[in-house]
Amino acid sequence: MFVRTFEPPSSGIRTATEGATMIIGVIVAIAIVAVAVIGAVEWNRRRMRESFGSEYDEVVRQEGSRRAADREIARRRRAHAKLDLRTLKEEDVARFAGDWRRVQESFVDDPAAAVGEADAMLLQLARTRGYPAGDEETLLGLLSVPYRDAVTGYREAGKVRRVLESDAESATTEDMRQAFQGYSGLFNAMLKDSGPEVRESDFSETRSLEAQR
């Protein structure tokens, strides 16, 4: 009499177990990669936000969300990278610096006119450097890439200038002083960054307009 014993299909069970383990391993690996990618993206976004300082908050306000602001800042950087910015000649730097001092000194006698001239001179410097002609917001966006700390003052100065254009009596002398300083901050930053030929003696930092009243 033969007794037939049952032997479990151990090889099949082992194969199934190994397959399940492999699948779990793949899932875990994918999850780790996903977490790493998400972390890298968030780190890049945080670095972008920090690099734009207070300007980032303004972009968020304009775009409506952080994600949209991140896309806008990335777009600005790509656009700025395509610019063919020119180095100013030494005589051009001296000319711009001299004209700026003249406008600055005229603030005492006619602050409204000085603010208007400051705006025009800043635009002229930007065009000479190679920034494209266009609307003010487009230019501001491009300038915000290298001059994130100065464009805030430039934006506020533009608001005062527009008030002066519509109703000159509604802007105070203090408003115009702040506006001129806003223009001056960006103008000096651009002039100083115009190239290796620029010397510290070619331009002067904005003097306090309070002392000139």
Side-chain angles (χ1 to χ4, degrees):
M1 181 176 179
F2 296 96
V3 179
R4 189 174 183 180
T5 60
F6 175 76
E7 295 182 2
S10 58
S11 60
I13 294 175
R14 186 166 54 252
T15 301
T17 302
E18 291 174 350
T21 302
M22 184 178 297
I23 292 174
I24 293 174
V26 171
I27 293 174
V28 171
I30 293 174
I32 292 174
V33 172
V35 170
V37 170
I38 293 173
V41 171
E42 183 57 33
W43 182 80
N44 285 332
R45 287 176 175 173
R46 184 165 59 249
R47 186 178 62 174
M48 181 186 298
R49 294 162 188 168
E50 291 173 353
S51 68
F52 264 69
S54 59
E55 177 64 13
Y56 181 79
D57 295 332
E58 177 62 24
V59 179
V60 172
R61 187 192 67 78
Q62 292 179 355
E63 299 298 320
S65 70
R66 285 181 175 268
R67 180 170 297 183
D70 293 341
R71 289 195 298 268
E72 168 59 17
I73 289 175
R75 185 198 65 77
R76 291 184 186 185
R77 285 178 166 168
R78 289 192 300 270
H80 188 273
K82 294 178 181 178
L83 295 176
D84 183 19
L85 298 180
R86 296 185 290 272
T87 297
L88 296 185
K89 296 180 180 180
E90 188 172 336
E91 56 267 29
D92 291 329
V93 173
R95 174 174 56 81
F96 272 112
D99 289 345
W100 187 263
R101 285 192 293 270
R102 175 185 57 76
V103 174
Q104 181 173 279
E105 291 167 357
S106 73
F107 183 91
V108 177
D109 297 324
D110 194 343
V115 168
E117 285 192 65
D119 178 77
M121 279 197 61
L122 194 148
L123 292 177
Q124 183 183 2
L125 175 59
R127 302 290 181 263
T128 304
R129 287 294 318 281
Y131 285 91
D135 63 277
E136 183 177 326
E137 197 60 36
T138 298
L139 176 61
L140 193 149
L142 291 170
L143 291 173
S144 69
V145 176
Y147 307 114
R148 62 179 177 83
D149 293 327
V151 293
T152 300
Y154 175 48
R155 179 183 289 106
E156 295 303 313
K159 293 178 182 178
V160 175
R161 175 182 53 77
R162 287 188 288 274
V163 169
L164 289 170
E165 290 173 348
S166 60
D167 183 10
E169 298 299 323
S170 61
T172 66
T173 302
E174 177 61 20
D175 291 335
M176 291 182 282
R177 186 185 71 85
Q178 292 290 341
F180 194 93
Q181 288 185 334
Y183 283 127
S184 184
L186 181 55
F187 184 91
N188 282 336
M190 289 180 63
L191 195 62
K192 188 175 182 179
D193 192 40
S194 294
E197 296 177 355
V198 178
R199 301 173 305 186
E200 288 292 330
S201 59
D202 285 331
F203 69 94
S204 60
E205 296 295 335
T206 306
R207 292 177 294 170
S208 172
L209 294 176
E210 278 292 334
Q212 298 183 36
R213 290 187 182 180

